[in-house]
Amino acid sequence: MRKAVHMAVTSVIVGLVVSGCGGGDDGKKESKPSGGATKAAQSAQRSPSSGPSARGTIMERSAGSWKSIVAAKSADDLETLTIADGKVTAKGPKLDCTGTLKPGQKGGEDEPSLTLSCKGGSDGGRGQGTVGMKGDDALAINWKGPEGGFGGPIDSFRRAG
């Protein structure tokens, strides 16, 4: 029961963090196709990130450099994240972390796992987590946290540059 509650709370938090990471329409409205447009033409007009699987797996889409959406407030916060060929580096004010990103699925959904090892201080409850994305420019890591706990922190990033 405790694990079910933990998973529900974690899912809500991750959803809120990732959905708050962008995708706003900035007040712009999408133009609608004329009456004779076919379904295929409508699909072609959608943005490439409207269908997550259209751009590849999270492993493929997460490659690159990322910057935290919040300013580092403590020594154990992460500021940057770089993912290349399944290898991960993350840095913070006092942290220097390395790790691996491995493919995975949960409930039929793409959910890769990330394992980090940090030098320079406490890892802030990180170590092992799962990676989720919204579109191609918002990435969130839901950390497992300490054994028997309700979970660790959630780090949210935007693509850098």
Side-chain angles (χ1 to χ4, degrees):
M1 178 69 176
R2 185 176 183 193
K3 189 170 186 163
V5 169
H6 166 61
M7 292 304 295
V9 169
T10 301
S11 296
V12 168
I13 290 172
V14 168
L16 289 172
V17 169
V18 172
S19 67
C21 290
D25 64 342
D26 298 329
K28 298 175 188 168
K29 299 228 177 201
E30 224 178 295
S31 63
K32 294 185 179 181
S34 61
T38 65
K39 204 171 198 179
Q42 290 174 358
S43 294
Q45 290 179 354
R46 290 188 188 139
S47 69
S49 63
S50 65
S53 61
R55 303 281 291 170
T57 66
I58 291 175
M59 290 278 299
E60 295 165 340
R61 294 177 12 237
S62 66
S65 297
W66 299 87
K67 184 174 179 165
S68 178
I69 64 168
V70 294
K73 295 177 184 164
S74 68
D76 63 353
D77 285 342
L78 293 178
E79 294 177 314
T80 63
L81 179 77
T82 304
I83 302 172
D85 299 323
K87 304 289 184 213
V88 179
T89 57
K91 297 194 184 293
K94 297 212 178 207
L95 290 179
D96 186 13
C97 308
T98 58
T100 56
L101 183 64
K102 296 181 180 177
Q105 286 202 343
K106 185 172 185 180
E109 297 290 321
D110 186 22
E111 190 176 272
S113 63
L114 173 62
T115 305
L116 276 187
S117 176
C118 299
K119 299 176 190 170
S122 165
D123 68 1
R126 296 172 184 90
Q128 188 174 21
T130 56
V131 176
M133 290 185 72
K134 180 174 182 176
D136 287 336
D137 296 324
L139 180 141
I141 304 169
N142 181 12
W143 298 103
K144 185 176 178 182
E147 186 81 25
F150 282 103
I154 297 173
D155 288 312
S156 297
F157 297 89
R158 285 254 190 222
R159 197 168 291 280

